Amino acid sequence: MDIQFTPGPKVLILGHSFISRLTQALTYDPKLLPDFNLAQCSVSCYGIRGGTVDRLQNNEDLNAHIQNFQPSVIILQIGGNDLCDPGLKPETLACKIVDLMSDFQLHYSFVNKIVVCELFTRTQPWYITAEQYENKRRIVNQMLPILVYDKKLYWKHLRLMNSPLQIFASDGVHLSALGMQKCYRSLRLAILHAIES
């Protein structure tokens, strides 16, 4: 996606396939604006399909994008694919996510704030049952707000996760068009929270 620079902070929305799909939706859904309808900042999205915490760590293409864009804020949506690993404990994942946030702050001096978003539920996760996934997800989402500190924030997708509407696609993992619109609005609020706090 082409980056449109405006005065003010630069915000990078970074994550797995949810963000990759959001980037695509920004090109065809008229309800989703690439600038998130925020004149006070520049927004760029970078999603890696099948992305995990380890795949974001030391990723050369991602590093080049971050160095080029130089965001002062990173919004991080990651961890859902990691949870599908039957051998990965949720406590370990929560710590790995916070370590990734710290690494970004250490390696990119221009990053002033990082917001980690709550992990999404999945009705049909890979390699484990929906109940196992949900139990692990609940633990990670309980740990993250406790572990983040020092210019790190936690964002809860309240209007998205508590929606009575069908927000998931038929695969039980990704978001439907309606879910994508709700995710977009939640991420927009996360951006505003980050740049105003």
PDB file of all heavy atoms in Angstrom, residues 52-86:
ATOM      1  N   THR A  52       3.643 -14.984  12.809  1.00  0.00           N
ATOM      2  CA  THR A  52       3.812 -15.340  14.214  1.00  0.00           C
ATOM      3  C   THR A  52       4.795 -14.342  14.823  1.00  0.00           C
ATOM      4  O   THR A  52       5.437 -13.576  14.098  1.00  0.00           O
ATOM      5  CB  THR A  52       4.378 -16.768  14.367  1.00  0.00           C
ATOM      6  OG1 THR A  52       5.665 -16.813  13.739  1.00  0.00           O
ATOM      7  CG2 THR A  52       3.453 -17.816  13.746  1.00  0.00           C
ATOM      8  N   VAL A  53       4.924 -14.398  16.129  1.00  0.00           N
ATOM      9  CA  VAL A  53       5.887 -13.517  16.789  1.00  0.00           C
ATOM     10  C   VAL A  53       7.282 -13.774  16.226  1.00  0.00           C
ATOM     11  O   VAL A  53       8.012 -12.838  15.895  1.00  0.00           O
ATOM     12  CB  VAL A  53       5.858 -13.720  18.319  1.00  0.00           C
ATOM     13  CG1 VAL A  53       6.979 -12.938  18.990  1.00  0.00           C
ATOM     14  CG2 VAL A  53       4.505 -13.309  18.885  1.00  0.00           C
ATOM     15  N   ASP A  54       7.640 -15.043  16.072  1.00  0.00           N
ATOM     16  CA  ASP A  54       8.978 -15.374  15.550  1.00  0.00           C
ATOM     17  C   ASP A  54       9.178 -14.872  14.123  1.00  0.00           C
ATOM     18  O   ASP A  54      10.276 -14.457  13.761  1.00  0.00           O
ATOM     19  CB  ASP A  54       9.220 -16.886  15.600  1.00  0.00           C
ATOM     20  CG  ASP A  54       9.386 -17.400  17.022  1.00  0.00           C
ATOM     21  OD1 ASP A  54       9.668 -16.597  17.936  1.00  0.00           O
ATOM     22  OD2 ASP A  54       9.222 -18.622  17.229  1.00  0.00           O
ATOM     23  N   ARG A  55       8.115 -14.902  13.309  1.00  0.00           N
ATOM     24  CA  ARG A  55       8.251 -14.434  11.921  1.00  0.00           C
ATOM     25  C   ARG A  55       8.391 -12.918  11.836  1.00  0.00           C
ATOM     26  O   ARG A  55       8.935 -12.401  10.857  1.00  0.00           O
ATOM     27  CB  ARG A  55       7.059 -14.903  11.073  1.00  0.00           C
ATOM     28  CG  ARG A  55       7.145 -16.401  10.781  1.00  0.00           C
ATOM     29  CD  ARG A  55       6.188 -16.849   9.727  1.00  0.00           C
ATOM     30  NE  ARG A  55       6.469 -16.229   8.444  1.00  0.00           N
ATOM     31  CZ  ARG A  55       5.577 -16.107   7.470  1.00  0.00           C
ATOM     32  NH1 ARG A  55       4.353 -16.570   7.634  1.00  0.00           N
ATOM     33  NH2 ARG A  55       5.894 -15.543   6.336  1.00  0.00           N
ATOM     34  N   LEU A  56       7.897 -12.195  12.838  1.00  0.00           N
ATOM     35  CA  LEU A  56       8.080 -10.742  12.858  1.00  0.00           C
ATOM     36  C   LEU A  56       9.479 -10.373  13.332  1.00  0.00           C
ATOM     37  O   LEU A  56      10.025  -9.349  12.938  1.00  0.00           O
ATOM     38  CB  LEU A  56       7.055 -10.066  13.766  1.00  0.00           C
ATOM     39  CG  LEU A  56       5.599 -10.063  13.317  1.00  0.00           C
ATOM     40  CD1 LEU A  56       4.751  -9.234  14.273  1.00  0.00           C
ATOM     41  CD2 LEU A  56       5.440  -9.550  11.901  1.00  0.00           C
ATOM     42  N   GLN A  57      10.023 -11.226  14.177  1.00  0.00           N
ATOM     43  CA  GLN A  57      11.370 -10.994  14.715  1.00  0.00           C
ATOM     44  C   GLN A  57      12.391 -11.176  13.594  1.00  0.00           C
ATOM     45  O   GLN A  57      12.381 -12.172  12.893  1.00  0.00           O
ATOM     46  CB  GLN A  57      11.640 -12.005  15.826  1.00  0.00           C
ATOM     47  CG  GLN A  57      12.744 -11.659  16.760  1.00  0.00           C
ATOM     48  CD  GLN A  57      12.238 -10.862  17.947  1.00  0.00           C
ATOM     49  OE1 GLN A  57      11.152 -11.102  18.423  1.00  0.00           O
ATOM     50  NE2 GLN A  57      13.028  -9.915  18.398  1.00  0.00           N
ATOM     51  N   ASN A  58      13.245 -10.228  13.408  1.00  0.00           N
ATOM     52  CA  ASN A  58      14.333 -10.313  12.417  1.00  0.00           C
ATOM     53  C   ASN A  58      13.852 -10.535  10.982  1.00  0.00           C
ATOM     54  O   ASN A  58      14.505 -11.215  10.212  1.00  0.00           O
ATOM     55  CB  ASN A  58      15.328 -11.419  12.805  1.00  0.00           C
ATOM     56  CG  ASN A  58      15.886 -11.215  14.195  1.00  0.00           C
ATOM     57  OD1 ASN A  58      16.244 -10.101  14.549  1.00  0.00           O
ATOM     58  ND2 ASN A  58      15.942 -12.267  14.973  1.00  0.00           N
ATOM     59  N   ASN A  59      12.714  -9.974  10.611  1.00  0.00           N
ATOM     60  CA  ASN A  59      12.185 -10.069   9.259  1.00  0.00           C
ATOM     61  C   ASN A  59      12.757  -8.902   8.447  1.00  0.00           C
ATOM     62  O   ASN A  59      12.486  -7.736   8.750  1.00  0.00           O
ATOM     63  CB  ASN A  59      10.651 -10.016   9.308  1.00  0.00           C
ATOM     64  CG  ASN A  59      10.009 -10.157   7.961  1.00  0.00           C
ATOM     65  OD1 ASN A  59      10.292  -9.386   7.047  1.00  0.00           O
ATOM     66  ND2 ASN A  59       9.131 -11.122   7.829  1.00  0.00           N
ATOM     67  N   GLU A  60      13.549  -9.212   7.420  1.00  0.00           N
ATOM     68  CA  GLU A  60      14.245  -8.172   6.656  1.00  0.00           C
ATOM     69  C   GLU A  60      13.293  -7.222   5.935  1.00  0.00           C
ATOM     70  O   GLU A  60      13.527  -6.006   5.911  1.00  0.00           O
ATOM     71  CB  GLU A  60      15.214  -8.814   5.668  1.00  0.00           C
ATOM     72  CG  GLU A  60      16.397  -9.480   6.343  1.00  0.00           C
ATOM     73  CD  GLU A  60      17.373 -10.098   5.355  1.00  0.00           C
ATOM     74  OE1 GLU A  60      17.387  -9.673   4.183  1.00  0.00           O
ATOM     75  OE2 GLU A  60      18.124 -10.990   5.776  1.00  0.00           O
ATOM     76  N   ASP A  61      12.228  -7.757   5.329  1.00  0.00           N
ATOM     77  CA  ASP A  61      11.269  -6.887   4.631  1.00  0.00           C
ATOM     78  C   ASP A  61      10.566  -5.953   5.617  1.00  0.00           C
ATOM     79  O   ASP A  61      10.369  -4.771   5.334  1.00  0.00           O
ATOM     80  CB  ASP A  61      10.239  -7.723   3.872  1.00  0.00           C
ATOM     81  CG  ASP A  61      10.842  -8.450   2.685  1.00  0.00           C
ATOM     82  OD1 ASP A  61      11.892  -8.005   2.171  1.00  0.00           O
ATOM     83  OD2 ASP A  61      10.271  -9.488   2.277  1.00  0.00           O
ATOM     84  N   LEU A  62      10.183  -6.505   6.757  1.00  0.00           N
ATOM     85  CA  LEU A  62       9.544  -5.683   7.785  1.00  0.00           C
ATOM     86  C   LEU A  62      10.513  -4.621   8.285  1.00  0.00           C
ATOM     87  O   LEU A  62      10.146  -3.454   8.432  1.00  0.00           O
ATOM     88  CB  LEU A  62       9.061  -6.558   8.946  1.00  0.00           C
ATOM     89  CG  LEU A  62       8.537  -5.811  10.171  1.00  0.00           C
ATOM     90  CD1 LEU A  62       7.365  -4.911   9.805  1.00  0.00           C
ATOM     91  CD2 LEU A  62       8.151  -6.798  11.264  1.00  0.00           C
ATOM     92  N   ASN A  63      11.750  -5.007   8.543  1.00  0.00           N
ATOM     93  CA  ASN A  63      12.755  -4.053   9.002  1.00  0.00           C
ATOM     94  C   ASN A  63      12.911  -2.906   7.997  1.00  0.00           C
ATOM     95  O   ASN A  63      12.964  -1.733   8.390  1.00  0.00           O
ATOM     96  CB  ASN A  63      14.098  -4.754   9.223  1.00  0.00           C
ATOM     97  CG  ASN A  63      15.181  -3.789   9.643  1.00  0.00           C
ATOM     98  OD1 ASN A  63      15.043  -3.080  10.635  1.00  0.00           O
ATOM     99  ND2 ASN A  63      16.254  -3.729   8.859  1.00  0.00           N
ATOM    100  N   ALA A  64      12.962  -3.231   6.721  1.00  0.00           N
ATOM    101  CA  ALA A  64      13.096  -2.195   5.691  1.00  0.00           C
ATOM    102  C   ALA A  64      11.887  -1.259   5.702  1.00  0.00           C
ATOM    103  O   ALA A  64      12.032  -0.036   5.566  1.00  0.00           O
ATOM    104  CB  ALA A  64      13.263  -2.839   4.309  1.00  0.00           C
ATOM    105  N   HIS A  65      10.686  -1.837   5.869  1.00  0.00           N
ATOM    106  CA  HIS A  65       9.467  -1.021   5.908  1.00  0.00           C
ATOM    107  C   HIS A  65       9.492  -0.079   7.112  1.00  0.00           C
ATOM    108  O   HIS A  65       9.182   1.111   6.994  1.00  0.00           O
ATOM    109  CB  HIS A  65       8.224  -1.912   5.949  1.00  0.00           C
ATOM    110  CG  HIS A  65       6.945  -1.142   5.874  1.00  0.00           C
ATOM    111  ND1 HIS A  65       6.430  -0.679   4.685  1.00  0.00           N
ATOM    112  CD2 HIS A  65       6.102  -0.714   6.846  1.00  0.00           C
ATOM    113  CE1 HIS A  65       5.307  -0.012   4.928  1.00  0.00           C
ATOM    114  NE2 HIS A  65       5.090  -0.022   6.233  1.00  0.00           N
ATOM    115  N   ILE A  66       9.878  -0.615   8.273  1.00  0.00           N
ATOM    116  CA  ILE A  66       9.937   0.217   9.480  1.00  0.00           C
ATOM    117  C   ILE A  66      10.982   1.310   9.323  1.00  0.00           C
ATOM    118  O   ILE A  66      10.726   2.475   9.657  1.00  0.00           O
ATOM    119  CB  ILE A  66      10.206  -0.656  10.725  1.00  0.00           C
ATOM    120  CG1 ILE A  66       9.006  -1.565  11.015  1.00  0.00           C
ATOM    121  CG2 ILE A  66      10.495   0.224  11.946  1.00  0.00           C
ATOM    122  CD1 ILE A  66       9.241  -2.574  12.126  1.00  0.00           C
ATOM    123  N   GLN A  67      12.145   0.970   8.795  1.00  0.00           N
ATOM    124  CA  GLN A  67      13.205   1.970   8.611  1.00  0.00           C
ATOM    125  C   GLN A  67      12.770   3.058   7.633  1.00  0.00           C
ATOM    126  O   GLN A  67      13.083   4.237   7.818  1.00  0.00           O
ATOM    127  CB  GLN A  67      14.496   1.302   8.111  1.00  0.00           C
ATOM    128  CG  GLN A  67      15.163   0.414   9.135  1.00  0.00           C
ATOM    129  CD  GLN A  67      15.813   1.194  10.277  1.00  0.00           C
ATOM    130  OE1 GLN A  67      15.821   2.407  10.324  1.00  0.00           O
ATOM    131  NE2 GLN A  67      16.363   0.458  11.226  1.00  0.00           N
ATOM    132  N   ASN A  68      12.043   2.673   6.586  1.00  0.00           N
ATOM    133  CA  ASN A  68      11.572   3.640   5.594  1.00  0.00           C
ATOM    134  C   ASN A  68      10.474   4.540   6.154  1.00  0.00           C
ATOM    135  O   ASN A  68      10.509   5.756   5.982  1.00  0.00           O
ATOM    136  CB  ASN A  68      11.072   2.904   4.348  1.00  0.00           C
ATOM    137  CG  ASN A  68      10.565   3.857   3.288  1.00  0.00           C
ATOM    138  OD1 ASN A  68      11.208   4.836   2.954  1.00  0.00           O
ATOM    139  ND2 ASN A  68       9.388   3.558   2.765  1.00  0.00           N
ATOM    140  N   PHE A  69       9.508   3.954   6.837  1.00  0.00           N
ATOM    141  CA  PHE A  69       8.354   4.709   7.329  1.00  0.00           C
ATOM    142  C   PHE A  69       8.665   5.462   8.629  1.00  0.00           C
ATOM    143  O   PHE A  69       8.154   6.546   8.857  1.00  0.00           O
ATOM    144  CB  PHE A  69       7.179   3.749   7.532  1.00  0.00           C
ATOM    145  CG  PHE A  69       5.890   4.414   7.907  1.00  0.00           C
ATOM    146  CD1 PHE A  69       5.339   5.417   7.130  1.00  0.00           C
ATOM    147  CD2 PHE A  69       5.202   4.020   9.051  1.00  0.00           C
ATOM    148  CE1 PHE A  69       4.140   6.026   7.475  1.00  0.00           C
ATOM    149  CE2 PHE A  69       4.006   4.614   9.408  1.00  0.00           C
ATOM    150  CZ  PHE A  69       3.468   5.619   8.622  1.00  0.00           C
ATOM    151  N   GLN A  70       9.491   4.901   9.471  1.00  0.00           N
ATOM    152  CA  GLN A  70       9.884   5.471  10.757  1.00  0.00           C
ATOM    153  C   GLN A  70       8.684   5.879  11.620  1.00  0.00           C
ATOM    154  O   GLN A  70       8.503   7.057  11.948  1.00  0.00           O
ATOM    155  CB  GLN A  70      10.850   6.644  10.571  1.00  0.00           C
ATOM    156  CG  GLN A  70      12.150   6.216   9.944  1.00  0.00           C
ATOM    157  CD  GLN A  70      13.282   7.207  10.165  1.00  0.00           C
ATOM    158  OE1 GLN A  70      13.088   8.315  10.626  1.00  0.00           O
ATOM    159  NE2 GLN A  70      14.480   6.767   9.833  1.00  0.00           N
ATOM    160  N   PRO A  71       7.881   4.909  12.018  1.00  0.00           N
ATOM    161  CA  PRO A  71       6.706   5.228  12.839  1.00  0.00           C
ATOM    162  C   PRO A  71       7.093   5.617  14.262  1.00  0.00           C
ATOM    163  O   PRO A  71       8.057   5.096  14.814  1.00  0.00           O
ATOM    164  CB  PRO A  71       5.918   3.910  12.844  1.00  0.00           C
ATOM    165  CG  PRO A  71       6.982   2.861  12.720  1.00  0.00           C
ATOM    166  CD  PRO A  71       8.020   3.465  11.800  1.00  0.00           C
ATOM    167  N   SER A  72       6.330   6.520  14.829  1.00  0.00           N
ATOM    168  CA  SER A  72       6.510   6.821  16.252  1.00  0.00           C
ATOM    169  C   SER A  72       5.608   5.921  17.095  1.00  0.00           C
ATOM    170  O   SER A  72       5.839   5.754  18.288  1.00  0.00           O
ATOM    171  CB  SER A  72       6.230   8.298  16.544  1.00  0.00           C
ATOM    172  OG  SER A  72       4.924   8.641  16.146  1.00  0.00           O
ATOM    173  N   VAL A  73       4.590   5.346  16.450  1.00  0.00           N
ATOM    174  CA  VAL A  73       3.656   4.442  17.133  1.00  0.00           C
ATOM    175  C   VAL A  73       3.514   3.168  16.309  1.00  0.00           C
ATOM    176  O   VAL A  73       3.368   3.228  15.081  1.00  0.00           O
ATOM    177  CB  VAL A  73       2.264   5.094  17.313  1.00  0.00           C
ATOM    178  CG1 VAL A  73       1.268   4.120  17.917  1.00  0.00           C
ATOM    179  CG2 VAL A  73       2.352   6.364  18.144  1.00  0.00           C
ATOM    180  N   ILE A  74       3.552   2.020  16.999  1.00  0.00           N
ATOM    181  CA  ILE A  74       3.251   0.741  16.354  1.00  0.00           C
ATOM    182  C   ILE A  74       2.051   0.134  17.062  1.00  0.00           C
ATOM    183  O   ILE A  74       2.021   0.034  18.292  1.00  0.00           O
ATOM    184  CB  ILE A  74       4.446  -0.235  16.422  1.00  0.00           C
ATOM    185  CG1 ILE A  74       5.629   0.296  15.608  1.00  0.00           C
ATOM    186  CG2 ILE A  74       4.030  -1.624  15.918  1.00  0.00           C
ATOM    187  CD1 ILE A  74       6.884  -0.572  15.665  1.00  0.00           C
ATOM    188  N   ILE A  75       1.052  -0.238  16.273  1.00  0.00           N
ATOM    189  CA  ILE A  75      -0.111  -0.982  16.768  1.00  0.00           C
ATOM    190  C   ILE A  75       0.135  -2.428  16.354  1.00  0.00           C
ATOM    191  O   ILE A  75       0.258  -2.728  15.166  1.00  0.00           O
ATOM    192  CB  ILE A  75      -1.430  -0.473  16.153  1.00  0.00           C
ATOM    193  CG1 ILE A  75      -1.576   1.051  16.281  1.00  0.00           C
ATOM    194  CG2 ILE A  75      -2.617  -1.228  16.729  1.00  0.00           C
ATOM    195  CD1 ILE A  75      -1.923   1.565  17.636  1.00  0.00           C
ATOM    196  N   LEU A  76       0.185  -3.340  17.317  1.00  0.00           N
ATOM    197  CA  LEU A  76       0.586  -4.718  17.062  1.00  0.00           C
ATOM    198  C   LEU A  76      -0.584  -5.681  17.269  1.00  0.00           C
ATOM    199  O   LEU A  76      -1.159  -5.747  18.358  1.00  0.00           O
ATOM    200  CB  LEU A  76       1.734  -5.066  18.016  1.00  0.00           C
ATOM    201  CG  LEU A  76       2.456  -6.383  17.847  1.00  0.00           C
ATOM    202  CD1 LEU A  76       3.090  -6.501  16.470  1.00  0.00           C
ATOM    203  CD2 LEU A  76       3.526  -6.525  18.928  1.00  0.00           C
ATOM    204  N   GLN A  77      -0.952  -6.398  16.211  1.00  0.00           N
ATOM    205  CA  GLN A  77      -1.997  -7.430  16.278  1.00  0.00           C
ATOM    206  C   GLN A  77      -1.333  -8.749  15.909  1.00  0.00           C
ATOM    207  O   GLN A  77      -1.176  -9.073  14.735  1.00  0.00           O
ATOM    208  CB  GLN A  77      -3.143  -7.105  15.308  1.00  0.00           C
ATOM    209  CG  GLN A  77      -4.290  -8.086  15.346  1.00  0.00           C
ATOM    210  CD  GLN A  77      -5.087  -7.986  16.640  1.00  0.00           C
ATOM    211  OE1 GLN A  77      -5.686  -6.949  16.910  1.00  0.00           O
ATOM    212  NE2 GLN A  77      -5.102  -9.032  17.416  1.00  0.00           N
ATOM    213  N   ILE A  78      -0.898  -9.501  16.911  1.00  0.00           N
ATOM    214  CA  ILE A  78      -0.134 -10.714  16.672  1.00  0.00           C
ATOM    215  C   ILE A  78      -0.437 -11.726  17.778  1.00  0.00           C
ATOM    216  O   ILE A  78      -0.879 -11.355  18.847  1.00  0.00           O
ATOM    217  CB  ILE A  78       1.392 -10.410  16.595  1.00  0.00           C
ATOM    218  CG1 ILE A  78       2.192 -11.554  15.975  1.00  0.00           C
ATOM    219  CG2 ILE A  78       1.937 -10.010  17.947  1.00  0.00           C
ATOM    220  CD1 ILE A  78       1.976 -11.747  14.517  1.00  0.00           C
ATOM    221  N   GLY A  79      -0.195 -13.003  17.502  1.00  0.00           N
ATOM    222  CA  GLY A  79      -0.309 -14.033  18.526  1.00  0.00           C
ATOM    223  C   GLY A  79      -1.327 -15.109  18.229  1.00  0.00           C
ATOM    224  O   GLY A  79      -1.237 -16.206  18.779  1.00  0.00           O
ATOM    225  N   GLY A  80      -2.308 -14.818  17.378  1.00  0.00           N
ATOM    226  CA  GLY A  80      -3.350 -15.796  17.099  1.00  0.00           C
ATOM    227  C   GLY A  80      -2.818 -17.069  16.459  1.00  0.00           C
ATOM    228  O   GLY A  80      -3.218 -18.177  16.835  1.00  0.00           O
ATOM    229  N   ASN A  81      -1.917 -16.934  15.503  1.00  0.00           N
ATOM    230  CA  ASN A  81      -1.345 -18.123  14.860  1.00  0.00           C
ATOM    231  C   ASN A  81      -0.445 -18.888  15.831  1.00  0.00           C
ATOM    232  O   ASN A  81      -0.406 -20.114  15.811  1.00  0.00           O
ATOM    233  CB  ASN A  81      -0.561 -17.736  13.604  1.00  0.00           C
ATOM    234  CG  ASN A  81      -1.467 -17.181  12.525  1.00  0.00           C
ATOM    235  OD1 ASN A  81      -2.621 -17.558  12.408  1.00  0.00           O
ATOM    236  ND2 ASN A  81      -0.947 -16.257  11.743  1.00  0.00           N
ATOM    237  N   ASP A  82       0.248 -18.163  16.693  1.00  0.00           N
ATOM    238  CA  ASP A  82       1.107 -18.805  17.692  1.00  0.00           C
ATOM    239  C   ASP A  82       0.285 -19.703  18.616  1.00  0.00           C
ATOM    240  O   ASP A  82       0.738 -20.776  19.018  1.00  0.00           O
ATOM    241  CB  ASP A  82       1.833 -17.753  18.535  1.00  0.00           C
ATOM    242  CG  ASP A  82       2.702 -16.825  17.717  1.00  0.00           C
ATOM    243  OD1 ASP A  82       2.167 -15.834  17.196  1.00  0.00           O
ATOM    244  OD2 ASP A  82       3.906 -17.085  17.615  1.00  0.00           O
ATOM    245  N   LEU A  83      -0.913 -19.232  18.974  1.00  0.00           N
ATOM    246  CA  LEU A  83      -1.762 -19.998  19.899  1.00  0.00           C
ATOM    247  C   LEU A  83      -2.142 -21.367  19.354  1.00  0.00           C
ATOM    248  O   LEU A  83      -2.464 -22.272  20.116  1.00  0.00           O
ATOM    249  CB  LEU A  83      -3.045 -19.226  20.217  1.00  0.00           C
ATOM    250  CG  LEU A  83      -2.954 -18.108  21.235  1.00  0.00           C
ATOM    251  CD1 LEU A  83      -4.319 -17.494  21.463  1.00  0.00           C
ATOM    252  CD2 LEU A  83      -2.368 -18.591  22.544  1.00  0.00           C
ATOM    253  N   CYS A  84      -2.110 -21.528  18.046  1.00  0.00           N
ATOM    254  CA  CYS A  84      -2.481 -22.807  17.427  1.00  0.00           C
ATOM    255  C   CYS A  84      -1.393 -23.868  17.600  1.00  0.00           C
ATOM    256  O   CYS A  84      -1.627 -25.040  17.290  1.00  0.00           O
ATOM    257  CB  CYS A  84      -2.802 -22.613  15.947  1.00  0.00           C
ATOM    258  SG  CYS A  84      -4.284 -21.640  15.666  1.00  0.00           S
ATOM    259  N   ASP A  85      -0.231 -23.478  18.071  1.00  0.00           N
ATOM    260  CA  ASP A  85       0.848 -24.428  18.334  1.00  0.00           C
ATOM    261  C   ASP A  85       0.520 -25.172  19.618  1.00  0.00           C
ATOM    262  O   ASP A  85       0.529 -24.576  20.700  1.00  0.00           O
ATOM    263  CB  ASP A  85       2.173 -23.675  18.476  1.00  0.00           C
ATOM    264  CG  ASP A  85       3.353 -24.578  18.801  1.00  0.00           C
ATOM    265  OD1 ASP A  85       3.153 -25.762  19.142  1.00  0.00           O
ATOM    266  OD2 ASP A  85       4.490 -24.085  18.736  1.00  0.00           O
ATOM    267  N   PRO A  86       0.229 -26.486  19.527  1.00  0.00           N
ATOM    268  CA  PRO A  86      -0.173 -27.229  20.735  1.00  0.00           C
ATOM    269  C   PRO A  86       0.891 -27.225  21.833  1.00  0.00           C
ATOM    270  O   PRO A  86       0.569 -27.346  23.010  1.00  0.00           O
ATOM    271  CB  PRO A  86      -0.392 -28.658  20.223  1.00  0.00           C
ATOM    272  CG  PRO A  86      -0.483 -28.566  18.751  1.00  0.00           C
ATOM    273  CD  PRO A  86       0.247 -27.328  18.339  1.00  0.00           C
TER     274      PRO A  86
END
